[in-house]
Amino acid sequence: MIWKLIHFSALLLGVVTSPAPSSSPTTHTEEGPCRIYNSGRSADCVGRQLSSVPWRHFPSTLEDIDLSYNKIQAVHADDFPRFPQLRTLQLQYNNISHIDNDAFKNNTRLEHLDIFNNSLQEIPAAALTPLLNLKMLSMSNNLYKHATLVDSFSTFVKLQVLSMGGPLVMGLKKGDFEPLRNIKLQSFAIKCSSNLSYYEPGSLEVIQTRNLGFDMAIDQQPYALHHMLRDLTNKTFSVIQFRNLFEFMYYMGTEDIFQGLKDITVFQLIFHRGKFNENLLRMALMNLQVTPINRLRLQYIDFARSPTFVDDGAESSIKNLALDKLDLWYISNPDILRFDWRFTWFNKIKELSIQYVYFNSVPCDAWVEMEGVELLDVSNNRLKNEVIFSQHCDYKGSVPNLHTFNISTNDLTSLKDLSLLTKEFQQLQVLDFSSNQLGSAKTSQDCVWQQNITRLIAHHNQFQSEALNCLPTTVHYLDLSYCNLDQLDMAYFKKATNLRELLLSGNKIKFIPTKWGSPSLQSLALDGNSFGLISMATFQDMPQLSQLRAGNNPYHCTCELHAFIQDTISKGKVNLTDWPSDYRCYHPEAFLNTVISKYFPGQVACDIRLVIVISVATTAAVILILMLICYIFDLPWYTKATYQIIRAKYRAHKEKAAGEVQEFAYHAFISYSHFDADWVRDQLLPCLENNRNPYRLCIHERDFMPGRWIIDNIIENIESSRKVIFVLSRQFVNSEWCNYELYFAQQRAMGKTFSDVILVVKEPIDPRSLPSKYCKLKKMLSTKTYLEWPQQVNQQAFFWAQLKSVLGKPTITAERMHSRTSSVSGLSVTGPPKENEILEVLTPNVDEEAEHKHDNIRRNNDELLNQRQIPMVAF
């Protein structure tokens, strides 16, 4: 706000440059020394070090040309005639000393001409004559020696803004501005020498304007101000500004040079720069007490105490200065606040702004004297806690009408001290303590606030989440932007039930709590934080929320975020004010910088119900497929067999530790079906065992140890045999126990070699007709040479020779003697045979009594089979 007003004041005097060209051209080109933009209607030649107008590079369609800040020395007749549409021409800050009389003869549409701060020695009246449409003419700060206007200026009836004069104009004459008598201006500014030599009364009498600016020093002619103000008697102005009224010395006279102010109606009076002492300021304020002036501003003033100032007691105080607003900005000496050693001049001020004064104390009586102040602005003063608040002061009843207190951009650190200061401000509604160092948990405890505060501005502080609980809970508007917050304390928001607008932009908030309850919140700003997740559940307890700004956050593009965006946009209840340009993906890496409005995840990935259906269906299908595979490949059987092997191995390991296991006790283990038992007993055993060097063979009927598990017997005897002979027939394939023996033999061969397995095909078998669980047997029949039992008797001798060759030469071992003893010591019955058949025991030289005993055993086994179901050897 300060800079806007200062800029306006400077513009009033014609001492600032014109604004830069439009920053949003539709088309432009950099060909030539200037930038042509706005579809050929504007040219930007600012600061190009041009010494002349480059008109040859300009299109004839130009309406706006900016040639400021160059080195142009003259404006010639052929510079601008090709531009009949020209409306704005800016030539300020060059070195122009001459303008041809015909320079603007074809530019009759020109409305804005700026030739400020050049080297013109005469007002270019002849060149300006054709410009009957001029609305703004800035020609001050040139080298004119007088300010006299010629009669042609009376034709500029559309003129609204005029600034003229220069540092060489030594004074003003009565007829200087006569051509302007019938022209009603918006702004008029006159600049004279820093050492004004003369002022003829009546010089300003003909001026009709709303805003009037003087840039002249009256150090040598202080009484000229009295005549100037008399020329303005009974006139009404919006703004009157005096710049450098006393530039080099303080006014030491006793005559009241401001007494003419009481006859002027002006909304705002500005003193910009210059020297003021107590006497001069008191003269001005004394007259302002009886003047219909609403606002007073003192800015960039060099204030000093008056050595001759006499304090006459109460009479010397300014008590009736009734102003709508008093601005004290950039004052060199903070003593100006109590220039007459009192603060009574603040008594009837409604809006008091004290900025960049850097005062270092606030006496207790200052608060008492500001009883009429409604808005107090003490921002930008480097104030500390001990300056603004004193425990020795009684603030009760202070500033009874204050409703807005701005203490921003200072060095405050304690929220507690600030709350103690303001708790007695009974009418306080708006509090601004932004851009301080408030918010630490240590100095934000036990705060007691005025209950009328409804608007709190606290941006650009250093808040910790715990300090939120020290804020007033009655607020409707809360600005905590750029406060370095990394998390939110929900306890405060639960108490701030009247909060309607909340600004949390530019913090470091890492997550937004779900079910954030704020029943009255209507507008929420969360942009520029550090959270990446946001969902529909986040704002469901904010029923009044209608405005949300949450862009510029590192969003994780997930289904939850997509669902929130789609739901928010489709319902239209909440307006995303910065959508969609400020919403981009940060994670995952594949979507980095992707605009969220273009992020469309798959329906399957985001619909949990669909995911469940697909998962259940897939699981069911997998289970069915596994069941089918198990059925086709007999996996349950293999599992069962593997389990039996593990159990047998475990038991064998325990027995081995006890020294009960004998390895390779047999030359071969014979696996056969009980349907092939006759062939084994009648053909195979006699041929291999009844030799000079007999083979030691293991068959279940004779050699399985009684009382042991069948599986244990099978595994132990297979592992105790050098070879395993399988007698293959159709009945073998259908035998459960043969299948076990084949499987166990395969498992043993995996660690050794398949040469230990001998296949004897008793009758032709088609491998393709074998069940799926005999896949290994199929492969062996297809890849391994096997022996086939010949039906012709004359070929059988060769068969036995082949079999013995495969078995190798038999050797006599201690195990053989032991097994021979075991075979005659009694009958070896491992369990009831399959299909109620009797286990046959082959022993040499069996007599009739043994046969009779054998029949008794068979009958006993039949009875045992009928009594209980015991795992049987199904061969």
Side-chain angles (χ1 to χ4, degrees):
M1 183 64 181
I2 296 176
W3 291 110
K4 290 182 179 179
L5 293 172
I6 293 175
H7 177 78
F8 168 74
S9 301
L11 180 62
L12 185 64
L13 298 173
V15 295
V16 295
T17 62
S18 300
S22 171
S23 60
S24 57
T26 53
T27 58
H28 69 273
T29 175
E30 290 290 348
E31 293 182 5
C34 303
R35 181 173 69 97
I36 309 300
Y37 65 101
N38 196 17
S39 300
R41 294 194 294 269
S42 301
D44 176 13
C45 307
V46 177
R48 304 296 177 101
Q49 302 295 312
L50 301 175
S51 58
S52 61
V53 178
W55 56 270
R56 292 181 178 83
H57 299 279
F58 292 160
S60 60
T61 56
L62 284 178
E63 299 177 7
D64 180 0
I65 301 177
D66 190 348
L67 287 161
S68 58
Y69 295 94
N70 282 290
K71 298 180 179 180
I72 300 173
Q73 297 182 359
V75 178
H76 302 290
D78 57 353
D79 285 342
F80 300 107
R82 296 179 60 250
F83 315 113
Q85 306 299 322
L86 191 62
R87 296 180 183 274
T88 300
L89 178 59
Q90 300 181 68
L91 293 167
Q92 68 269 26
Y93 291 98
N94 277 279
N95 194 26
I96 300 172
S97 59
H98 173 75
I99 299 178
D100 286 353
N101 292 340
D102 296 333
F104 307 123
K105 66 178 181 179
N106 289 343
N107 309 119
T108 56
R109 295 188 179 185
L110 194 64
E111 298 177 351
H112 180 153
L113 177 60
D114 193 340
I115 52 176
F116 169 79
N117 205 82
N118 278 281
S119 302
L120 293 170
Q121 298 183 1
E122 297 289 339
I123 296 175
L128 300 176
T129 300
L131 306 179
L132 301 181
N133 289 303
L134 268 182
K135 294 181 180 180
M136 187 273 186
L137 175 59
S138 176
M139 56 180 184
S140 64
N141 220 39
N142 277 277
L143 302 180
Y144 318 133
K145 295 182 179 179
H146 59 82
T148 305
L149 299 177
V150 298
D151 292 340
S152 60
F153 274 82
S154 63
T155 61
F156 299 153
V157 295
K158 296 182 179 180
L159 194 63
Q160 297 178 4
V161 178
L162 174 62
S163 67
M164 55 180 298
L168 300 184
V169 177
M170 302 304 297
L172 298 178
K173 297 180 180 180
K174 184 175 182 179
D176 284 347
F177 309 123
E178 184 63 28
L180 302 177
R181 178 178 292 273
N182 297 318
I183 299 177
K184 295 182 178 181
L185 300 171
Q186 291 295 320
S187 297
F188 176 76
I190 179 67
K191 178 177 176 63
C192 295
S193 169
S194 297
N195 185 14
L196 187 69
S197 299
Y198 61 90
Y199 178 84
E200 292 185 2
S203 297
L204 296 173
E205 191 175 24
V206 298
I207 298 297
Q208 301 181 66
T209 183
R210 297 292 299 172
N211 303 305
L212 181 60
F214 298 96
D215 185 359
M216 59 183 69
I218 59 173
D219 300 56
Q220 303 298 325
Q221 297 289 334
Y223 303 111
L225 180 61
H226 173 76
H227 299 298
M228 293 179 193
L229 296 178
R230 179 175 293 180
D231 288 346
L232 304 178
T233 299
N234 298 323
K235 292 186 178 182
T236 301
F237 301 92
S238 295
V239 177
I240 296 180
Q241 173 174 296
F242 293 96
R243 177 185 174 93
N244 285 321
L245 192 62
F246 288 90
E247 186 173 2
F248 302 109
M249 63 181 65
Y250 295 101
Y251 177 61
M252 306 301 293
T254 58
E255 182 176 347
D256 186 358
I257 60 176
F258 287 110
Q259 70 180 46
L261 285 175
K262 64 179 181 297
D263 299 319
I264 302 173
T265 301
V266 58
F267 179 76
Q268 184 176 24
L269 180 63
I270 301 175
F271 293 100
H272 179 76
R273 297 192 181 277
K275 294 181 177 295
F276 270 73
N277 56 22
E278 285 176 294
N279 285 330
L280 183 64
L281 182 58
R282 186 171 181 274
M283 288 180 186
L285 296 180
M286 290 293 289
N287 283 281
L288 290 176
Q289 290 185 118
V290 294
T291 301
I293 293 179
N294 299 91
R295 297 188 174 189
L296 172 65
R297 182 187 305 159
L298 302 172
Q299 61 187 29
Y300 295 97
I301 296 298
D302 183 5
F303 178 79
R305 294 284 185 185
S306 294
T308 60
F309 179 80
V310 178
D311 186 358
D312 296 331
E315 295 300 323
S316 66
S317 298
I318 306 299
K319 296 182 177 180
N320 297 309
L321 183 63
L323 296 175
D324 289 341
K325 188 173 183 181
L326 172 61
D327 297 327
L328 301 174
W329 297 344
Y330 295 95
I331 309 300
S332 63
N333 189 344
D335 284 347
I336 193 174
L337 301 179
R338 53 188 309 176
F339 76 96
D340 61 351
W341 303 101
R342 293 167 179 82
F343 295 96
T344 53
W345 67 307
F346 296 150
N347 191 270
K348 295 183 179 181
I349 307 296
K350 291 183 179 179
E351 296 183 13
L352 177 59
S353 177
I354 305 172
Q355 299 189 46
Y356 299 99
V357 179
Y358 305 122
F359 54 94
N360 54 17
S361 68
V362 181
C364 298
D365 61 325
W367 299 102
V368 177
E369 294 293 349
M370 293 187 290
E371 61 181 28
V373 176
E374 299 176 1
L375 184 152
L376 177 59
D377 183 354
V378 290
S379 58
N380 300 290
N381 283 295
R382 304 175 187 167
L383 297 177
K384 298 185 180 297
N385 300 325
E386 58 273 13
V387 173
I388 199 69
F389 172 72
S390 173
Q391 295 181 351
H392 303 292
C393 294
D394 182 6
Y395 297 101
K396 188 173 183 179
S398 300
V399 287
N401 295 301
L402 185 67
H403 61 73
T404 301
F405 185 27
N406 184 352
I407 196 168
S408 62
T409 319
N410 283 290
D411 295 330
L412 303 180
T413 59
S414 175
L415 271 177
K416 181 179 179 180
D417 288 351
L418 187 57
S419 72
L420 293 175
L421 170 67
T422 60
K423 73 174 182 177
E424 298 296 343
F425 299 170
Q426 297 299 319
Q427 302 299 322
L428 186 62
Q429 299 176 16
V430 180
L431 178 60
D432 183 351
F433 53 75
S434 58
S435 299
N436 278 279
Q437 300 175 32
L438 298 164
S440 69
K442 183 179 180 180
T443 59
S444 303
Q445 298 177 1
D446 303 323
C447 296
V448 181
W449 296 96
Q450 173 56 240
Q451 295 301 303
N452 293 326
I453 298 177
T454 58
R455 187 178 182 89
L456 183 62
I457 304 168
H459 58 79
H460 290 91
N461 277 282
Q462 299 295 320
F463 266 85
Q464 296 174 339
S465 60
E466 297 87 346
L468 295 180
N469 289 308
C470 196
L471 297 177
T473 58
T474 57
V475 294
H476 297 172
Y477 174 95
L478 177 59
D479 186 354
L480 287 170
S481 302
Y482 304 97
C483 284
N484 217 26
L485 276 169
D486 59 357
Q487 61 181 349
L488 299 175
D489 190 340
M490 291 295 103
Y492 170 77
F493 295 105
K494 289 179 181 179
K495 293 182 289 185
T497 55
N498 295 319
L499 187 60
R500 297 174 185 172
E501 186 171 355
L502 176 61
L503 278 65
L504 292 168
S505 306
N507 283 288
K508 299 178 181 179
I509 301 172
K510 296 179 176 61
F511 69 95
I512 304 299
T514 56
K515 297 184 179 181
W516 179 358
S518 188
S520 302
L521 194 63
Q522 300 175 2
S523 179
L524 176 61
L526 291 167
D527 54 308
N529 278 279
S530 302
F531 60 86
L533 300 176
I534 196 171
S535 67
M536 292 182 289
T538 304
F539 309 109
Q540 65 181 11
D541 291 337
M542 299 179 183
Q544 302 298 322
L545 188 65
S546 59
Q547 302 285 334
L548 176 62
R549 187 169 74 245
N552 293 318
N553 280 291
Y555 281 113
H556 296 245
C557 283
T558 61
C559 295
E560 194 173 20
L561 175 64
H562 178 73
F564 167 76
I565 295 295
Q566 295 301 315
D567 181 76
T568 302
I569 294 176
S570 62
K571 289 183 178 179
K573 179 183 177 182
V574 179
N575 178 27
L576 297 176
T577 57
D578 52 349
W579 175 265
S581 59
D582 293 338
Y583 291 76
R584 295 179 179 271
C585 297
Y586 188 78
H587 289 291
E589 186 176 356
F591 294 101
L592 182 63
N593 289 326
T594 300
V595 179
I596 294 180
S597 60
K598 298 180 180 179
Y599 170 69
F600 299 102
Q603 184 178 3
V604 174
C606 294
D607 192 338
I608 186 63
R609 292 170 297 182
L610 187 58
V611 170
I612 292 174
V613 170
I614 293 176
S615 299
V616 171
T618 303
T619 303
V622 170
I623 291 174
L624 289 175
I625 293 173
L626 290 176
M627 291 175 64
L628 183 61
I629 293 174
C630 290
Y631 175 78
I632 294 175
F633 295 101
D634 252 336
L635 289 181
W637 185 90
Y638 283 107
T639 303
K640 179 180 176 182
T642 303
Y643 171 70
Q644 296 293 348
I645 290 177
I646 294 173
R647 287 186 61 191
K649 291 281 188 180
Y650 175 72
R651 288 192 295 267
H653 175 73
K654 293 177 65 177
E655 294 175 358
K656 183 177 180 180
E660 298 177 1
V661 179
Q662 296 181 349
E663 294 183 354
F664 299 111
Y666 305 99
H667 290 102
F669 177 89
I670 312 299
S671 176
Y672 59 94
S673 169
H674 66 277
F675 291 103
D676 299 320
D678 292 340
W679 184 83
V680 172
R681 287 193 300 267
D682 298 338
Q683 298 287 341
L684 183 62
L685 292 180
C687 183
L688 296 179
E689 289 188 337
N690 297 338
N691 294 320
R692 182 176 179 182
N693 291 322
Y695 291 92
R696 177 74 176 100
L697 304 178
C698 177
I699 61 175
H700 66 276
E701 300 173 6
R702 179 184 66 190
D703 298 306
F704 278 14
M705 183 174 292
R708 298 196 65 182
W709 289 83
I710 297 175
I711 294 295
D712 291 353
N713 271 312
I714 293 174
I715 295 175
E716 179 181 345
N717 284 287
I718 287 178
E719 292 187 348
S720 299
S721 303
R722 287 193 176 92
K723 305 285 186 180
V724 181
I725 299 175
F726 289 97
V727 180
L728 303 180
S729 65
R730 295 183 182 89
Q731 288 75 21
F732 181 93
V733 173
N734 297 325
S735 173
E736 183 75 13
W737 291 109
C738 289
N739 193 8
Y740 273 118
E741 291 174 347
L742 178 61
Y743 180 72
F744 297 149
Q746 294 172 4
Q747 296 302 314
R748 163 186 154 160
M750 289 177 63
K752 300 178 182 180
T753 173
F754 279 106
S755 61
D756 294 344
V757 178
I758 302 172
L759 302 181
V760 176
V761 180
K762 181 175 173 290
E763 55 188 30
I765 298 176
D766 185 1
R768 293 174 298 179
S769 65
L770 295 176
S772 59
K773 62 185 178 181
Y774 286 98
C775 58
K776 196 68 177 181
L777 180 59
K778 290 181 182 181
K779 183 177 180 181
M780 292 173 66
L781 288 173
S782 302
T783 60
K784 184 177 176 65
T785 303
Y786 55 85
L787 299 177
E788 189 171 359
W789 171 251
Q791 299 298 324
Q792 294 80 6
V793 178
N794 59 346
Q795 297 179 352
Q796 292 176 356
F798 181 71
F799 169 81
W800 297 118
Q802 285 181 307
L803 180 57
K804 291 178 181 179
S805 174
V806 174
L807 285 173
K809 186 176 181 180
T811 58
I812 299 176
T813 63
E815 289 83 352
R816 178 178 177 182
M817 298 300 297
H818 172 75
S819 62
R820 186 66 74 177
T821 304
S822 301
S823 66
V824 298
S825 62
L827 298 175
S828 298
V829 182
T830 62
K834 186 177 180 182
E835 299 177 2
N836 297 329
E837 292 189 2
I838 303 172
L839 292 173
E840 298 181 2
V841 182
L842 297 179
T843 57
N845 302 320
V846 179
D847 54 12
E848 293 181 357
E849 183 180 357
E851 183 66 24
H852 178 69
K853 294 179 180 179
H854 179 70
D855 291 339
N856 291 336
I857 292 172
R858 180 165 49 187
R859 283 194 297 271
N860 292 336
N861 287 336
D862 290 340
E863 293 175 359
L864 181 62
L865 179 63
N866 292 331
Q867 293 174 2
R868 57 179 179 174
Q869 294 295 327
I870 300 177
M872 297 177 294
V873 184
F875 291 91

